[in-house]
Amino acid sequence: MTPLKKLATYYVHLLSRLGIVKFSISLAGAIILVALAIQMSVTFALTGQVSSVDLIRSVFFALIITPWAVFFMSVVVEQIEDSRQRLSKMIRKLEKMRSRDLQLTNRLKANISQLNNEIDEREKAEAARRQAISHLELEVKQRQQAQQELEEHSALLRSFIDSSPDLVYYRNEQGQFSGCNLALEQLVGRSEKQLIGLTPYDVYPEEVADKVVETDHQVFDNDEPLTYEQWLEYPDGRKAFFELRKVPFYGRNGNRLGLLGFGRDITERMRHQANIEKANRDKAQFISTLSHELRTPLNGVVGLSQMLLDTPLNDAQRKHVNTILLSATTLGNIFNDIIDLDKLDRRRFAVSMEVMDFNALVSDIETLTEMQLQAKGLGFRFEQIGPIPQSIVADPTRLRQVLWNLTHNAVKFTEHGQVALTIKAKPIAEQQVELEFVIEDTGPGIPEDQLEQIFAMYYQVEGSKSATGTGIGLSVSRQLVRAMGGDIVVSSQVGKGSCFTVRLTVDLDVIPDEAEQIDHPPLEILLVEDVELNITIAKALLEKLGHQVEVAKSGQQALAMFEPDNFDLVLLDIQLPDMTGFDIANQWQRQYSAAQMPPLVALTANVVNSKSQFQAAGMVDVIHKPINRNAVVHCFNEVFAVGEEPQAEAPVSPKQALSRSSLPILDLDLIEQFCETIGVKVLNDSVDLFKKVMPDYLQVLESNMFAKDKQGIVSEAHKIKGAAGSIGLARIQRLANKIQSPEFPAWADNVEDWIYQLSHDYPEDLKLLDKAIAEHIEQQPSD
């Protein structure tokens, strides 16, 4: 079957290739050839020879057979072709079906794969769902636990708030209560549920509610916390003083919900503070009175001793008088320590810098130290190194007090050997010098671990019987030196002695020669003094200088005796039995014009930190008691300057005093320049603006001081310094500069005093400024 099949396929292929005509001719030719071959083979085999007839017969036979063969083959081929075509169609259909089957199979496979993926995803989703359910169950459990803890914390917080003695409450933007604690319920006599929705006017008396609502509005308008104090009343009528603080509070989205309020009962604290202030006032009054009462006889002893030393005395008498003077001076320094101790305790400590005779100070300290050492039979070595200045700018009372404390301690604690006092002066600028005072002794010495502790208040060196004491002197001395811009250091070896070194940088100045200072005619002086010893000393000293003195022993007697034309000068004691020197000066100023009044000079035994209070009362200068010759001559030279006419200058003596001072209250040159350049109206407007803003500046400055905010103090003082300097308030500018300079020595110890002095002095300085501007206007030529 296979060869026949291949033959049939070959025929069909040949027929298709040659076509019917060529195929028929080719087939006929093939048949003829086959017939000839067969005929000739058979004939030759039978007869042994082949004739032409046989050839023709074969050709003829082939020609007859050929059509039938062609027809037969054509029919066969046609059928075969039809079959082939049908088969081809069937094959194509099968191929199409197979292709569709493949597509369907692929699609089925894809669907199965997708189904498998979906099944996997569903399985994963199911696992995730089960896990999510597990997590959700855990979260629900945690939330329940958190809710329980939150409720417990809320209950604890509520218990804590309710147990607090302070008021806690909150109100919404409409001013209605939204909640409170137990303390507020007790204050207003209502429960929290009753309070919710009520306004302050529904709860408090009207005057209290006005203040509450006003402060609420301030919190809402400024959107910042507010603290104030207010009296509130309990239902039983009991009143309490509360410190209240209100702060705005906000929701999560940042919108303001209302305010939170807190209140603390400070009634007891205020009472305690009032008691402390009263005790401080009583103590200050007691110390002031005691100091005055003790200084009065002491001044008499000092003055009379100095007067006796100026008289002819034998050696024994001079020694006794020197001992009296030394004892009185020692007591005076002890009084100074006690007074300074009180001022340190009340934070009202300050120094008063002025021109002083440095050589006289050194001579006094040398003399007093040598006298003490002679009494104990000890040696004394005194040495000066460098060009010692004649006069310096310092606080003479404080500096003498410090050096006396140190030399007195050296003498007291030295039993054998000597005490050495060395004074060194090292120029550091044209008008500035660094002073170094070295006090060495051969006493028991101080252990190294206690060298700094000896400067603590009331500290006593342990293990040394001789080196004991209250410790007031050293503690106060260090404070004094640091206030003047210096410091005290100590070195010591146990058994070999101690060395205290005082370093101080001072400015140089010039004190005119005494002979030039007294070049003015004798004066008619009214001395207002109630202590007989002080009268004796002062009168003797003034008469020795060539002046005539009349005495009034009380304020009423002074008022009765006083006639402006009868006196060239009044020495006015500040503390009299019936009135103060300020009262007397004030009454005279109301009674007489400035042109009629002679110069008034204050007499006081107290330490003066600023002369502004005396100048504001119309006094041109202050003399400290006990009165000494140098102080009187220096004061008279200031008041009655050589070559000037007092009567012509009397109306403007305060201005003259300010102009002559090395540290003026006003910058008169700047004021004159401003008046000439920018005009008086602009300057007055600037002064008015300063008067308006200065209280606010001081309020902020004092609050920063109370809060110990150094940066705030510096910032506010800087504003005051610029504002004061711009209108010529020189003293206020200097004070503000000190306040804004924490790097100054002992700044922390003195800044509160500077702030106090600033707030105390600026109103009087403004009055002087107004007067200076008015005088400038009067001096201008009229149009």
Side-chain angles (χ1 to χ4, degrees), residues 19-291:
I20 191 62
V21 177
K22 291 181 178 180
F23 180 76
S24 298
I25 296 173
S26 299
L27 183 61
I31 292 174
I32 292 173
L33 291 174
V34 172
L36 284 175
I38 294 172
Q39 182 67 35
M40 288 176 66
S41 299
V42 172
T43 301
F44 182 76
L46 292 177
T47 63
Q49 60 178 4
V50 179
S51 63
S52 58
V53 175
D54 295 329
L55 294 172
I56 295 171
R57 189 184 298 121
S58 297
V59 171
F60 183 78
F61 176 77
L63 290 175
I64 293 174
I65 292 301
T66 298
W68 294 101
V70 170
F71 175 75
F72 174 76
M73 292 300 293
S74 298
V75 172
V76 173
V77 169
E78 184 176 357
Q79 290 178 352
I80 291 172
E81 181 66 21
D82 289 339
S83 299
R84 188 187 67 78
Q85 290 180 356
R86 286 197 297 273
L87 183 60
S88 298
K89 289 181 180 179
M90 187 175 295
I91 290 171
R92 286 196 295 273
K93 289 182 180 179
L94 289 175
E95 289 177 351
K96 290 181 180 180
M97 292 177 65
R98 180 174 175 275
S99 176
R100 284 197 298 273
D101 289 342
L102 290 174
Q103 291 177 355
L104 291 174
T105 301
N106 292 333
R107 189 178 301 171
L108 181 60
K109 289 180 179 179
N111 291 338
I112 292 173
S113 177
Q114 183 177 0
L115 183 59
N116 290 334
N117 291 335
E118 290 179 356
I119 292 173
D120 292 339
E121 291 178 357
R122 288 186 180 183
E123 289 177 352
K124 293 180 181 179
E126 181 65 20
R129 186 182 67 81
R130 289 195 296 269
Q131 186 177 4
I133 291 174
S134 177
H135 289 167
L136 184 60
E137 291 175 351
L138 179 61
E139 184 178 353
V140 170
K141 185 178 180 181
Q142 291 175 345
R143 287 191 177 184
Q144 290 175 347
Q145 184 178 358
Q147 182 67 24
Q148 183 179 357
E149 292 177 356
L150 180 61
E151 291 176 356
E152 292 176 355
H153 290 164
S154 298
L156 178 62
L157 179 62
R158 182 68 192 188
S159 300
F160 174 75
I161 293 176
D162 281 340
S163 64
S164 171
D166 296 339
L167 308 179
V168 180
Y169 59 91
Y170 41 101
R171 288 196 288 269
N172 57 24
E173 289 273 336
Q174 290 72 40
Q176 299 170 331
F177 282 94
S178 300
C180 68
N181 70 336
L182 183 61
L184 186 69
E185 292 180 353
Q186 295 173 347
L187 174 67
V188 299
R190 303 189 188 189
S191 67
E192 182 181 25
K193 292 182 179 180
Q194 293 173 330
L195 274 176
I196 293 177
L198 299 181
T199 67
Y201 286 103
D202 300 324
V203 178
Y204 302 114
E206 183 177 358
E207 63 275 8
V208 175
D210 288 339
K211 181 67 173 179
V212 171
V213 173
E214 178 187 351
T215 52
D216 284 357
H217 289 164
Q218 292 180 23
V219 172
F220 291 142
D221 294 342
N222 299 327
D223 203 23
E224 61 183 18
L226 174 67
T227 302
Y228 68 101
E229 296 172 348
Q230 187 173 12
W231 285 98
L232 298 176
E233 186 174 346
Y234 282 88
D236 60 359
R238 178 170 51 92
K239 292 183 179 181
F241 195 62
F242 282 88
E243 181 183 66
L244 302 171
R245 180 170 177 80
K246 299 177 179 179
V247 297
F249 74 96
Y250 306 87
R252 291 184 177 180
N253 56 359
N255 61 316
R256 189 174 63 200
L257 301 180
L259 62 81
L260 286 171
F262 308 91
R264 173 160 296 181
D265 187 348
I266 59 172
T267 308
E268 291 302 321
R269 188 176 76 185
M270 296 299 293
R271 290 174 182 170
H272 181 64
Q273 183 177 350
N275 292 335
I276 292 176
E277 291 176 354
K278 183 178 184 301
N280 285 337
R281 288 195 300 270
D282 293 342
K283 181 176 68 174
Q285 182 63 34
F286 171 76
I287 292 177
S288 176
T289 303
L290 179 64
S291 171

Side-chain angles (χ1 to χ4, degrees), residues 309-364:
L309 290 173
D310 291 335
T311 62
L313 300 172
N314 58 37
D315 293 340
Q317 292 173 332
R318 186 169 299 277
K319 181 178 180 181
H320 294 330
V321 173
N322 278 330
T323 302
I324 294 172
L325 179 60
L326 173 62
S327 300
T329 305
T330 302
L331 282 175
N333 283 283
I334 293 174
F335 293 157
N336 287 337
D337 284 343
I338 295 173
I339 294 170
D340 287 335
L341 175 62
D342 174 67
K343 288 188 175 183
L344 287 170
D345 181 59
R346 293 183 290 115
R347 310 303 301 162
R348 285 290 175 265
F349 170 75
V351 296
S352 178
M353 308 297 282
E354 60 185 59
V355 179
M356 59 171 289
D357 189 338
F358 184 65
N359 278 342
L361 169 67
V362 172
S363 177
D364 290 344

Side-chain angles (χ1 to χ4, degrees), residues 7 46 51 111 395 424 546 559 650:
L7 181 61
L46 292 177
S51 63
N111 291 338
D395 188 326
K424 303 177 183 179
L559 294 175

Side-chain angles (χ1 to χ4, degrees), residues 675-699:
C675 291
E676 296 295 335
T677 55
I678 65 175
V680 175
K681 183 180 183 305
V682 177
L683 180 57
N684 278 328
D685 292 342
S686 301
V687 174
D688 292 339
L689 179 60
F690 181 87
K691 293 177 181 178
K692 181 179 180 182
V693 301
M694 188 60 178
D696 296 333
Y697 285 161
L698 282 176
Q699 184 178 8

Side-chain angles (χ1 to χ4, degrees), residues 287-297 531 573 575 605 625:
I287 292 177
S288 176
T289 303
L290 179 64
S291 171
H292 184 269
E293 295 300 327
L294 292 178
R295 281 177 180 274
T296 298
V531 180
D573 186 18
Q575 191 167 351
K625 293 190 289 186

Side-chain angles (χ1 to χ4, degrees), residues 525-530 534-539 542 549-553 558 561 567 569-573 603 627:
I525 300 175
L526 174 60
L527 174 62
V528 183
E529 173 64 62
D530 63 313
N534 291 342
I535 293 174
T536 301
I537 296 171
K539 187 174 181 181
L542 294 171
V549 181
E550 294 189 27
V551 178
K553 297 183 179 181
M561 292 177 58
F567 300 101
L569 178 73
V570 178
L571 297 179
L572 183 58
D573 186 18
L603 299 177
I627 298 176

